[in-house]
C-alpha cells in the first residue's frame, strides 16, 4: 500500500516475475490491478536499484496519474529475480510504502483443510454410554 496525496493498493507476489528488466537499473511489472483512492485501476509498476534515478514508479494507470519516488530500494536480489523487502519505507516526495506479507493461496488451502479436519474429528466423536448396575 502506498499513502501520500493518494492511497494506492495492489498485491504482487513477494518474488514477482518482471515484465521488463534493465539489469542493474530497474524492473517493471505491467498490468497490475489495484485501487487508487478506492477507484479500480490498472497500472505498470517500476522498482529501481539503489543507483537508479527512482526507486518506485507508477506509470500509465487507468486514471491518468504517474508517480516517481526516491527512497530506499524496495527489493533484494537482482532485477531479473527480485524479492520485496517487508516494512514501511518513506519515499520522496511525501509518500510512504508499506509492504506486508499476504498468505499464498496454498497456505489458505492448508489452513482451511486443517479446520475441516478438526471439524470432522469433533463430529465423528461418539458418545459413550456407561451402564452401571447397582445391586445384583
Amino acid at each position: 500500500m502506498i499513502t501520500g496525496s493518494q492511497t494506492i493498493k495492489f498485491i504482487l507476489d513477494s518474488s514477482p516475475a518482471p515484465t521488463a528488466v534493465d539489469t542493474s537499473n530497474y524492473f517493471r511489472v505491467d498490468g497490475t490491478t489495484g485501487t487508487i483512492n478506492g477507484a479500480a485501476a490498472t497500472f505498470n509498476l517500476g522498482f529501481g536499484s539503489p543507483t537508479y534515478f527512482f526507486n518506485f514508479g507508477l506509470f500509465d494507470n487507468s486514471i491518468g496519474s504517474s508517480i516517481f519516488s526516491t527512497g530506499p530500494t524496495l527489493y533484494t536480489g537482482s532485477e531479473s529475480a527480485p524479492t520485496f523487502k517487508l516494512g514501511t519505507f518513506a519515499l520522496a516526495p511525501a509518500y510512504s510504502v508499506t509492504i506486508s506479507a499476504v498468505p499464498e493461496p496454498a497456505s489458505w488451502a492448508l489452513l482451511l483443510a486443517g479446520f475441516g479436519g478438526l471439524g470432522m474429528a469433533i463430529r465423528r466423536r461418539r458418545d459413550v454410554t456407561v451402564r452401571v448396575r447397582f445391586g445384583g
Side-chain angles (χ1 to χ4, degrees), residues 108-131:
W108 282 110
L110 184 60
L111 179 68
L112 291 174
F115 281 134
L118 285 173
M120 287 176 46
I122 290 170
R123 184 173 180 163
R124 292 183 58 89
R125 187 184 319 167
R126 298 185 182 198
D127 291 332
V128 176
T129 304
V130 177
R131 294 183 186 182

Side-chain angles (χ1 to χ4, degrees), residues 33-111:
T33 58
T35 61
I36 298 178
N37 295 332
T42 301
F43 33 80
N44 301 335
L45 301 172
F47 299 90
S49 71
T51 58
Y52 202 58
F53 78 94
F54 73 87
N55 297 101
F56 174 77
L58 182 141
F59 326 90
D60 304 325
N61 70 64
S62 55
I63 63 172
S65 175
S66 293
I67 298 169
F68 291 95
S69 295
T70 58
T73 304
L74 302 175
Y75 63 95
T76 60
S78 68
E79 287 70 36
S80 58
T83 299
F84 288 114
K85 297 176 182 177
L86 299 179
T88 299
F89 308 92
L91 300 175
Y95 281 96
S96 174
V97 62
T98 301
I99 302 173
S100 58
V102 175
E104 299 289 329
S107 298
W108 282 110
L110 184 60
L111 179 68

